[in-house]
Amino acid sequence: MVDIIHRIGIKAPLAKVYEAVSTAKGIAGWWSETTTGESKLGGAITSVFHAPDGKEIGRMVFELVKLEPGKKVQWRFTAGPEEWVGTDLTFDFSRDGDQTLIVFGHRNWREAVEFMAHCSMKWATFLLSLRELAETGTGRPSPDDLKIDNWN
Amino acid sequence: MVDIIHRIGIKAPLAKVYEAVSTAKGIAGWWSETTTGESKLGGAITSVFHAPDGKEIGRMVFELVKLEPGKKVQWRFTAGPEEWVGTDLTFDFSRDGDQTLIVFGHRNWREAVEFMAHCSMKWATFLLSLRELAETGTGRPSPDDLKIDNWN
């Protein structure tokens, strides 16, 4: 099993960052605009991705398997790209000075395929989008997300 | 051993991207302004990092252990952060349409420490800087690099 891990600091209150990764409304502000579902422990959330021309290019479903306010949020993918099913997203929070720090993980990939390299780069840009959302009120969710390569 | 891997597409000729990661002058355009050394197989290159106030905050030394024009470049760190010594940077190139694709790796970390999560995020932003350099002529090397957390 292999993991993508990133670390980012956000100049915003921890509660605000926590909300942005633990509720459908928050996630819609930085990952995919089209995000709906139940924002509670065990709840299922669906994020749909579209190309700029409106065509659906991805549909991810995950459960909120851990919600520990101020500490940790964990998603588990139940549908989406075949490589993602059964993988987990983890957000571990701490504070230092004026920053909320996140250690982010997309964990338990079966192998380090080229698509994982794409996703690692893409998650980094989505974490920058999350920071923009928390610091300024406006993120850059799909379909307005930064394109990074020929796979989107 | 664990690896950081990223994938990015750059709308510029492969030869231009190759030069940017295989010569001291190129590397100075996207990683650290203060980069000097011998741009040849087996040559040693030094990149020094400074805080905005001019204070030195890092000094990385690496050898160019693989230079395969159009295909692959590999660096090996011989000095720098303790966790980096002995690790390799790899750039594997291909082309698709108008894009030069890079599969990037920072490979052979002894363990997935929190500093590796920081470096993964930081490399993603430096790859965006490399893309800017190759596409527009101006990158964002240190000390003007995007700060991502309380560790820089």
Side-chain angles (χ1 to χ4, degrees):
Chain A
M1 296 289 189
V2 283
D3 299 343
I4 294 165
I5 54 172
H6 292 309
R7 184 180 194 272
I8 193 165
I10 297 177
K11 289 178 183 161
L14 201 161
K16 196 171 193 171
V17 178
Y18 182 86
E19 203 226 328
V21 302
S22 63
T23 66
K25 191 184 166 207
I27 295 163
W30 63 272
W31 196 40
S32 173
E33 261 180 31
T34 316
T35 295
T36 52
E38 286 194 302
S39 308
K40 63 174 193 185
L41 192 65
I45 293 183
T46 301
S47 290
V48 184
F49 292 77
H50 299 92
D53 66 5
K55 193 183 152 209
E56 184 177 315
I57 51 171
R59 177 175 290 262
M60 323 305 197
V61 184
F62 55 94
E63 281 177 23
L64 298 172
V65 293
K66 227 174 246 186
L67 290 179
E68 300 175 6
K71 278 194 191 166
K72 189 181 184 100
V73 170
Q74 187 167 341
W75 308 359
R76 180 159 299 156
F77 291 101
T78 57
E82 187 262 331
E83 296 91 337
W84 280 31
V85 176
T87 63
D88 283 9
L89 228 61
T90 56
F91 301 87
D92 287 280
F93 306 104
S94 62
R95 288 283 300 174
D96 183 49
D98 60 351
Q99 295 192 33
T100 296
L101 296 162
I102 303 177
V103 176
F104 165 92
H106 186 180
R107 301 180 189 273
N108 302 325
W109 286 69
R110 283 189 297 277
E111 42 181 346
V113 291
E114 193 166 339
F115 178 55
M116 181 175 145
H118 165 85
C119 292
S120 179
M121 185 72 203
K122 196 80 194 179
W123 280 124
T125 65
F126 278 123
L127 289 172
L128 294 174
S129 167
L130 169 61
R131 177 160 81 174
E132 266 184 74
L133 173 69
E135 291 185 352
T136 73
T138 308
R140 206 175 155 182
S142 169
D144 183 40
D145 53 319
L146 184 69
K147 308 308 181 216
I148 56 151
D149 61 22
N150 58 335
W151 291 345
N152 183 44
Chain B
M1 295 287 189
V2 283
D3 298 344
I4 294 165
I5 54 172
H6 292 309
R7 186 180 192 274
I8 191 164
I10 298 177
K11 288 177 183 160
L14 201 161
K16 196 170 191 172
V17 178
Y18 182 87
E19 203 226 327
V21 303
S22 62
T23 66
K25 191 184 165 206
I27 296 163
W30 63 273
W31 197 39
S32 173
E33 260 180 32
T34 316
T35 296
T36 53
E38 286 194 303
S39 307
K40 62 175 193 186
L41 191 65
I45 293 183
T46 301
S47 290
V48 184
F49 292 77
H50 299 92
D53 66 5
K55 194 185 153 209
E56 183 176 316
I57 51 172
R59 177 175 291 262
M60 322 305 197
V61 184
F62 55 95
E63 282 177 22
L64 298 173
V65 294
K66 226 173 247 185
L67 290 180
E68 300 175 5
K71 278 196 189 165
K72 188 181 185 100
V73 170
Q74 188 166 339
W75 308 357
R76 180 158 299 154
F77 291 102
T78 56
E82 187 262 331
E83 296 91 336
W84 281 31
V85 176
T87 62
D88 283 9
L89 228 61
T90 57
F91 301 87
D92 287 279
F93 306 104
S94 62
R95 287 282 300 175
D96 183 47
D98 61 350
Q99 296 192 33
T100 295
L101 296 161
I102 303 176
V103 176
F104 164 93
H106 185 179
R107 301 179 187 276
N108 302 326
W109 285 68
R110 282 190 296 279
E111 42 180 346
V113 291
E114 193 165 340
F115 178 54
M116 180 175 148
H118 165 85
C119 293
S120 179
M121 185 72 203
K122 195 82 193 178
W123 279 124
T125 64
F126 278 123
L127 290 171
L128 294 174
S129 166
L130 168 61
R131 177 160 82 174
E132 266 184 74
L133 173 69
E135 292 185 353
T136 73
T138 308
R140 206 174 155 182
S142 167
D144 184 40
D145 53 318
L146 184 70
K147 308 308 181 215
I148 55 152
D149 61 20
N150 59 335
W151 292 344
N152 184 44

